[in-house]
Amino acid sequence: MLATLAYILPLVYGLQGADVVLSCSLIEEGGGMGGMMGGGMFKRTPATLVFRDLVDNAGLSPELVTPFNPPETPNADDLIFELLLPSIQIPDADSLLHADCNEQNIVCEISRFVPRDADADSLPAHFIGSVQLEGAGLSVTLVLQTSPSETPESDRPPLMQSKLNLPLSQSGTLLTAVVFVVFSRVPSVVAPIGGDVLLDCGFRQKDSIPGQDVALEWRIQHRGNGRKVLDMKVRENEGEVGSDVLVEREGTSAEADLLVREGNASLTLQRLKVSDEGTYICTVGSGEFQTQQVVQVHITQAPLVTLSEEKLTFQDKEPKKLSCECHRYYPLDVQVEWLSQRPSDEEPISFSEESSLSSHRQHSDGTYSLSSHLTLRPNEHPPETVVTCRVSHTALDTPTEVALTVGKPEPENVFWTVVLMVMISVVFLYQAFKMQTAGPVIKEA
Ligand SMILES: *[C@@H]1O[C@H](CO)[C@@H](O)[C@H](O)[C@H]1NC(C)=O
């Protein structure tokens, strides 16, 4: 009988969905030594986050579906957070599953959380789980609520987790329900100056009460400065959505309708400027829960590259100056390389060492300009040599190249010789003509 049960259970789990097991850290403030502002000491303890049935495994290949196996003997020192997702669907949750399999780096941190109007020691206890896929990907902040412990089948009191002093389940895990989620599926965006951008942020709540206020705040943090960008309070009443909105930046908006009806807290920023660059914090509050998600905005603008000369010819033995100008780019880092290819060269040769960079200039719109100067000598750059300025910048997929070909010098001496010869011929012909007309008439004998 027991044997059959043990056989059926994993099968049942398997049918429900795939589990995702993440290595995390429990972060605790403390150590008692950190006295400085925000520089408090943090203690990290290894922990495990288990998402039960995170994704529907229909259509998943069996090797992706590895059910979580709890430890054989429950251990009071283990920190295993077993997450049940009762009515919350995390969008794009399958990317977590795939990241788990592809060994993509996942940052996972858990910390204690006290909801509004709650006591620090009251039960159920709450935690914040923050999960980020390294690189672009999903970023989720979860509010976890400990589930009431199962009614023990024996009279044995439940095992208590040694650090948190919370009852463990029969299998030695901390059973928690995900009650609130704030997520971003695009936690980092790159956009050009003048462009529009949508900062993706959304939330899900386990038990949302109709008519409940939803508060949304977007802030920007950049180089130690923070400011509010948008503040919105929305309430849905009998199908009517009412909202109070405060916008601190022109061309900024969020949709009150989407916020209450779809949990879409995304922010639109129009006509981006360099000053819009920074870390945006999307804070959503609903009921007793409030948590946030971070979206990075990077502004880029590709340089316009030009050469100071359109044509270059060495008229005498004098060297010539050439500049490569990079106009109005952002961010600051730009690389300028000079290449030269003589007719006899198979490949262009870099000769950037001979160049010198101007200091960069910053324009009022925050963009930069910079020039690279070069002195070209005729013996090193014979006619037909192609001189190229190659500029690399983060806004460019491939470097921009501008080039010119060294021209043939005008054959000055030859020119004057020709002119002289023509003049002599003209004079000669004229003389001959005159002699013919004015000369003695040759009479017939
Ligand atoms: C929010 O709505 C916008 C526009 O419809 C959409 O592009 C975006 O994916 C949505 N984001 C979330 C988190 O629902």
Side-chain angles (χ1 to χ4, degrees):
M1 177 60 194
L2 252 173
T4 26
L5 246 177
Y7 182 65
I8 285 168
L9 264 176
L11 260 182
V12 170
Y13 271 128
L15 278 177
Q16 283 180 339
D19 300 338
V20 171
V21 181
L22 304 178
S23 304
C24 298
S25 305
L26 178 75
I27 314 279
E28 288 169 296
E29 241 174 293
M33 283 146 66
M36 283 182 291
M37 273 280 293
M41 307 286 276
F42 289 100
K43 233 166 53 188
R44 286 175 169 267
T45 315
T48 306
L49 205 61
V50 180
F51 288 91
R52 275 288 193 204
D53 309 326
L54 180 64
V55 264
D56 215 7
N57 64 6
L60 285 179
S61 57
E63 59 266 34
L64 275 178
V65 186
T66 42
F68 168 66
N69 292 311
E72 270 172 34
T73 39
N75 183 338
D77 293 334
D78 278 351
L79 268 173
I80 305 167
F81 291 83
E82 189 173 343
L83 273 55
L84 307 167
L85 292 155
S87 58
I88 293 187
Q89 277 279 319
I90 302 178
D92 285 4
D94 54 331
S95 60
L96 279 179
L97 182 70
H98 292 111
D100 193 22
C101 298
N102 301 338
E103 289 173 24
Q104 197 175 342
N105 228 344
I106 299 179
V107 179
C108 174
E109 292 178 340
I110 304 169
S111 52
R112 257 328 249 274
F113 171 72
V114 181
R116 226 187 328 233
D117 309 324
D119 275 335
D121 300 322
S122 64
L123 285 179
H126 291 86
F127 294 87
I128 291 262
S130 153
V131 180
Q132 285 155 28
L133 288 187
E134 204 129 279
L138 184 67
S139 186
V140 209
T141 310
L142 312 147
V143 177
L144 314 176
Q145 186 176 58
T146 52
S147 307
S149 50
E150 316 142 334
T151 38
E153 275 154 39
S154 59
D155 331 316
R156 260 190 309 137
L159 194 60
M160 299 298 272
Q161 210 288 328
S162 58
K163 190 178 246 316
L164 302 170
N165 197 31
L166 291 169
L168 293 174
S169 71
Q170 303 273 299
S171 48
T173 63
L174 269 167
L175 278 180
T176 62
V178 178
V179 288
F180 194 69
V181 179
V182 178
F183 62 89
S184 177
R185 292 164 304 171
V186 194
S188 177
V189 287
V190 177
I193 292 172
D196 298 349
V197 76
L198 181 88
L199 310 188
D200 189 69
C201 181
F203 81 100
R204 299 289 183 267
Q205 187 167 12
K206 187 183 156 220
D207 307 305
S208 63
I209 303 153
Q212 181 170 279
D213 275 12
V214 180
L216 169 65
E217 187 199 71
W218 278 93
R219 291 183 71 79
I220 175 176
Q221 205 88 39
H222 191 50
R223 305 221 166 110
N225 291 318
R227 62 174 194 274
K228 194 184 282 182
V229 177
L230 176 136
D231 201 333
M232 187 182 247
K233 288 206 174 42
V234 191
R235 177 190 293 261
E236 190 178 9
N237 230 336
E238 287 158 7
E240 290 284 303
V241 175
S243 63
D244 292 330
V245 192
L246 190 78
V247 174
E248 304 271 349
R249 177 201 177 275
E250 221 178 290
T252 306
S253 57
E255 301 280 337
D257 262 39
L258 291 182
L259 181 67
V260 282
R261 299 205 170 126
E262 293 173 22
N264 187 339
S266 302
L267 184 78
T268 301
L269 296 174
Q270 288 174 313
R271 299 178 299 278
L272 285 173
K273 297 197 276 278
V274 166
S275 57
D276 290 321
E277 184 167 73
T279 301
Y280 285 77
I281 303 157
C282 164
T283 307
V284 184
S286 176
E288 56 185 323
F289 302 115
Q290 172 182 309
T291 191
Q292 38 192 228
Q293 190 58 62
V294 165
V295 179
Q296 303 286 347
V297 175
H298 301 282
I299 304 285
T300 64
Q301 182 74 34
L304 176 71
V305 185
T306 55
L307 286 177
S308 57
E309 309 288 332
E310 275 176 30
K311 287 194 201 132
L312 195 129
T313 39
F314 296 102
Q315 222 41 268
D316 33 46
K317 296 287 164 215
E318 285 299 303
K320 291 239 165 166
K321 283 197 170 16
L322 184 62
S323 306
C324 181
E325 289 150 12
C326 310
H327 303 275
R328 294 188 174 264
Y329 57 88
Y330 191 87
L332 184 59
D333 288 328
V334 71
Q335 260 151 23
V336 184
E337 190 185 2
W338 288 95
L339 303 165
S340 166
Q341 184 169 16
R342 285 174 293 191
S344 55
D345 296 334
E346 290 209 342
E347 299 248 313
I349 297 156
S350 168
F351 65 118
S352 308
E353 326 74 58
E354 296 168 38
S355 66
S356 63
L357 281 182
S358 72
S359 58
H360 59 259
R361 279 172 294 139
Q362 188 166 21
H363 304 280
S364 55
D365 65 359
T367 59
Y368 298 99
S369 291
L370 172 127
S371 309
S372 171
H373 307 291
L374 194 68
T375 304
L376 297 172
R377 274 168 283 275
N379 53 336
E380 290 159 17
H381 300 92
E384 302 294 313
T385 301
V386 178
V387 178
T388 305
C389 171
R390 177 188 286 169
V391 176
S392 313
H393 185 263
T394 157
L396 297 165
D397 291 334
T398 53
T400 295
E401 293 188 349
V402 287
L404 61 72
T405 307
V406 176
K408 283 202 177 69
E410 304 264 322
E412 275 177 282
N413 300 339
V414 178
F415 175 77
W416 287 114
T417 315
V418 169
V419 169
L420 210 69
M421 276 171 68
V422 168
M423 283 171 68
I424 291 171
S425 331
V426 167
V427 170
F428 179 79
L429 282 171
Y430 177 73
Q431 289 292 342
F433 179 72
K434 240 171 68 177
M435 270 171 67
Q436 205 182 22
T437 47
V441 179
I442 298 159
K443 292 182 184 144
E444 281 172 40

